[in-house]
Amino acid sequence: MDHYATGIVNRSTLSADLPRAIDLGETERAQLVAFLNTLSSEDPPRPVSLPPKTITWGVTAQAVAATTVSQKDRRFSPGAILLKAGEALRILNDDTRTHNMRVDGPNMSFNSDGQNPGDTVTIGFDRPGHYDIICGIHPEMRLSVDVTSARRR
Ligand SMILES: [Cu+2]
């Protein structure tokens, strides 16, 4: 906190987006530290030299996923998906950066942690409803999933 408040050394490689005058009070500092602590994980980051990992989550995720969503260029593509209950969705990091996928809702709460390039997450959707998926690293990345009951389609 002290480094970013007063200790930044001006270098040509410094991001133009980095605020130069961060003036936070004690309460704001404590709140920011508390927020940063919520981002901690029990698992250390996985080296990118390891082979791609495949995460499977949900009762029906063992089924072959009918639909694959790309994470290339910092966007979920397509950005909206329609499934029926019991189907699974495959999310492939075909980008050059690390991504994440998380969903928080009444029917589902899941966080993939870091997804390195090449990693896939396959999640099963057992219950009808609407699900908003985001990348926790790039929150502007959004994927809308609507799951209809298996009988209606
Ligand atoms: Cu991302």
Side-chain angles (χ1 to χ4, degrees), residues 36-50:
L36 292 172
N37 282 331
T38 68
L39 305 177
S40 296
S41 168
E42 298 293 315
D43 304 317
R46 202 167 45 91
V48 288
S49 56
L50 291 179

Side-chain angles (χ1 to χ4, degrees), residues 74 98-100 135 137-138 141:
R74 260 191 261 189
T98 299
H99 290 293
N100 163 260
C135 170
I137 301 168
H138 311 102
M141 287 177 64

Side-chain angles (χ1 to χ4, degrees), residues 50-67:
L50 291 179
K53 86 182 157 179
T54 302
I55 300 168
T56 303
W57 192 81
V59 178
T60 59
Q62 302 298 331
V64 176
T67 307

Side-chain angles (χ1 to χ4, degrees), residues 72-148:
K72 197 173 177 65
D73 297 330
R74 260 191 261 189
R75 52 189 302 236
F76 289 109
S77 180
I81 291 290
L82 182 63
L83 299 175
K84 58 185 176 184
E87 288 185 334
L89 182 65
R90 182 171 172 263
I91 298 176
L92 166 67
N93 183 348
D94 50 351
D95 205 346
T96 55
R97 355 170 137 72
T98 299
H99 290 293
N100 163 260
M101 66 118 324
R102 62 181 60 182
V103 54
D104 274 304
N107 291 341
M108 186 183 287
S109 183
F110 175 71
N111 183 341
S112 72
D113 292 329
Q115 276 175 266
N116 288 334
D119 290 352
T120 59
V121 177
T122 301
I123 43 174
F125 290 86
D126 301 318
R127 298 175 64 182
H130 176 80
Y131 302 85
D132 288 310
I133 293 176
I134 67 162
C135 170
I137 301 168
H138 311 102
E140 73 275 16
M141 287 177 64
R142 293 184 172 271
L143 170 62
S144 168
V145 179
D146 282 294
V147 180
T148 62

